[in-house]
Amino acid sequence: MTTFAETTATAPCDSLRRSATQVLLGNWTGAATVPSRALYPHQWSWDSAFIALGLRHVSPRRAQRELETLLSAQWGDGRIPHIVFNPAVPDGAYFPGPDFWRSATAGRAAGASPFIQTSGIVQPPVHALAAWLVHAADPAESRRRGFLPRVYPRLAAWHRYLGGARDLGGGGLASVVHPWEPGLDNSPCWDAALARIEPAPPGSFVRADLRHGSAADRPTDLDYARYVRLATTYRDHGYDDARTPHAFAVEDPSFNALLIASEYALADIADAIGADAGPHRRRAEAATAALIGRLWDPVDAIFHARDLVTGAAIAGHSVSGLIPLVVPGLPATIGKALARTLHGPRFGLGRVHLVPSYDLTAPEFDGNRYWRGPSWFNTAWLVHRGLAAQGEEEAAGLLREQFLTSAHRSEFAEYLEPYTGDARGILRFSWTAALALDLLHAPVAQDAAR
Ligand code: 2M8
């Protein structure tokens, strides 16, 4: 495997920084950044949080704007929708679009904006962590603009929604109700739960994604038919979590780990603006205990998602189960065990490119198809941050080096085939560029340790 220094012989950092910045400038719409002009022409929730982490090194002010544009589409019940639609983009450019979600009408009782069209589901809560790190990039500018006092109430409401209406299992963890919500859309972990869903009739919708990429790299038509059914049912129940008969309800380790990391960030924000940080720290500690109690598997040495419909743990080994490495205060024994799993045959750290999204040894592993095996840059960034926080500096350094090499060589690909490192999905993908900028800025995630 060639390294970052070898592939980019002269001034590697400058050249990477320049091209990553160009990707972000090219994908900026004036108020926010699209993940990709072609495949994802609107604003996505967790993409924007990752994008802000890179933008803070280019323009802290623009990074603030990115997050505030997203927050301006927040619903009255606290949810941050997973897509904020750009009205200037033609209908049909992305499916499912505004006509499908109908947020202004179907989401009215849940407090959706009558003016800003959005989806009705959510994505992982990386936002408070991103807001805190954006502030830290330029505290004087942040204070001058009153950034933290403005975003704090919205971020707190977002966490209240997840900890309240979304604690479907009653055990102190947030649930996801659609495979798009954890962000790892077609992970094999969801196969058994999805198999119970009656697919929407063929021909009742038209996919737009296949116009921009190879069908072999994307979810299948059958996956989409089930995604559509689940989203339709939620919409037709007014996006009301209590009323919807959720046929898909899962406690996902990564989603909850990011909520905990963000809850600690909210405590830091509260301290910085003179609010009471105590409740945030207590909630983060309680959620950490719930995460370990409900999802940690000491035999497999990984966190497993839990299917709330059957009540059983989901046996698959996903990168999601490693991301709790980012949880501040995770017991060191668990951190060490996760690092061993990462080096083992299922994830092959150092022997493959980045961290595969799914168990390399499993029959369902597919190195090309989206979240069924390919390596992604946002999860690599999170694992890198977690390793650094756990004191696993060598592994963190290795992952950083691989990240920068692959991001540059692949032209900021959406994802990689883990064995060859070949680009998959689309190129000039925003979070790949943004997180490369972030890793370029700091040799290790210096702000990860608490
Ligand atoms: C992918 O998900 C969207 C649906 O939300 C799609 O397939 O159309 C996922 O990779 C998700 O994690 C990501 O946020 C989104 C935009 O980059 O694309």
Side-chain angles (χ1 to χ4, degrees):
M1 219 177 292
T2 42
T3 68
F4 176 56
E6 285 159 4
T7 50
T8 52
T10 53
C13 295
D14 284 355
S15 146
L16 179 55
R17 188 173 289 115
R18 234 187 347 264
S19 38
T21 304
Q22 273 161 9
V23 170
L24 293 185
L25 297 182
N27 288 342
W28 174 254
T29 63
T33 310
V34 293
S36 146
R37 290 253 171 216
L39 185 55
Y40 310 110
H42 301 283
Q43 182 177 25
W44 258 260
S45 161
W46 79 326
D47 296 63
S48 272
F50 292 122
I51 289 163
L53 292 173
L55 276 180
R56 70 186 170 138
H57 304 299
V58 180
S59 161
R61 197 176 173 144
R62 188 173 280 194
Q64 293 171 18
R65 181 87 191 277
E66 178 82 35
L67 291 173
E68 292 197 72
T69 299
L70 180 71
L71 290 173
S72 68
Q74 182 172 32
W75 291 19
D77 67 0
R79 91 183 66 196
I80 296 179
H82 101 297
I83 304 175
V84 181
F85 291 107
N86 179 350
V89 170
D91 287 350
Y94 179 80
F95 174 83
D99 294 353
F100 174 87
W101 296 99
R102 299 177 210 151
S103 58
T105 48
R108 191 185 302 136
S113 162
F115 310 113
I116 305 174
Q117 294 188 306
T118 73
S119 70
I121 59 170
V122 301
Q123 273 191 327
V126 205
H127 313 90
L129 177 63
W132 177 243
L133 296 177
V134 163
H135 162 79
D138 189 345
E141 166 74 356
S142 165
R143 273 193 289 274
R144 202 182 59 71
R145 297 192 64 244
F147 174 63
L148 291 182
R150 261 206 318 278
V151 296
Y152 173 74
R154 289 183 176 265
L155 293 168
W158 166 222
H159 286 204
R160 274 198 302 278
Y161 167 72
L162 293 173
R166 281 304 186 91
D167 183 3
L168 299 177
L173 294 181
S175 310
V176 289
V177 300
H178 192 290
W180 282 332
E181 292 201 319
L184 281 59
D185 303 7
N186 65 342
S187 169
C189 286
W190 318 139
D191 287 357
L194 268 184
R196 297 191 299 256
I197 312 298
E198 173 71 20
S204 62
F205 60 93
V206 180
R207 292 176 64 172
D209 57 317
L210 297 178
R211 289 202 298 267
H212 306 289
S214 156
D217 297 355
R218 296 282 311 168
T220 63
D221 285 345
L222 185 56
D223 290 334
Y224 259 78
R226 291 184 162 125
Y227 300 157
V228 168
R229 170 73 67 192
L230 283 169
T232 305
T233 305
Y234 198 24
R235 180 195 69 200
D236 293 349
H237 288 80
Y239 300 109
D240 180 331
D241 292 296
R243 271 203 312 127
T244 305
H246 288 300
F248 181 96
V250 166
E251 290 173 348
D252 175 61
S254 168
F255 192 99
N256 281 284
L258 293 170
L259 180 56
I260 294 167
S262 274
E263 194 70 50
Y264 278 114
L266 217 44
D268 290 335
I269 295 174
D271 275 338
I273 64 172
D276 184 3
H280 298 300
R281 297 222 161 83
R282 284 193 290 281
R283 264 198 296 278
E285 283 159 15
T288 304
L291 179 74
I292 296 170
R294 290 172 75 82
L295 307 186
W296 173 239
D297 183 331
V299 176
D300 285 353
I302 197 163
F303 287 84
H304 285 301
R306 180 174 296 278
D307 183 337
L308 292 180
V309 175
T310 63
I314 296 175
H317 295 66
S318 157
V319 67
S320 169
L322 301 172
I323 289 176
L325 277 166
V326 300
V327 168
L330 188 74
T333 46
I334 295 184
K336 296 275 168 254
L338 288 173
R340 278 196 300 279
T341 301
L342 193 55
H343 284 95
R346 298 185 196 277
F347 295 96
L349 186 71
R351 301 185 297 285
V352 293
H353 295 262
L354 305 180
V355 183
S357 47
Y358 196 70
D359 182 356
L360 294 163
T361 69
E364 311 84 52
F365 170 84
D366 178 340
N368 299 311
R369 202 182 280 282
Y370 222 36
W371 291 98
R372 300 184 72 83
S375 296
W376 288 71
F377 290 87
N378 63 332
T379 50
W381 183 89
L382 289 167
V383 170
H384 165 268
R385 183 175 176 83
L387 287 169
Q390 295 294 324
E392 298 280 343
E393 268 132 36
E394 203 180 317
L398 170 78
L399 202 46
R400 173 181 182 271
E401 176 76 12
Q402 279 195 2
F403 186 117
L404 295 174
T405 303
S406 310
H408 208 196
R409 200 184 34 212
S410 72
E411 266 186 79
F412 307 102
E414 191 181 6
Y415 43 102
L416 306 175
E417 205 291 332
Y419 287 110
T420 63
D422 290 343
R424 293 285 181 270
I426 33 102
L427 306 183
R428 292 173 292 286
F429 186 61
S430 291
W431 80 36
T432 305
L435 297 174
L437 282 174
D438 190 55
L439 288 188
L440 267 181
H441 191 81
V444 284
Q446 285 152 342
D447 49 12
R450 300 183 68 90

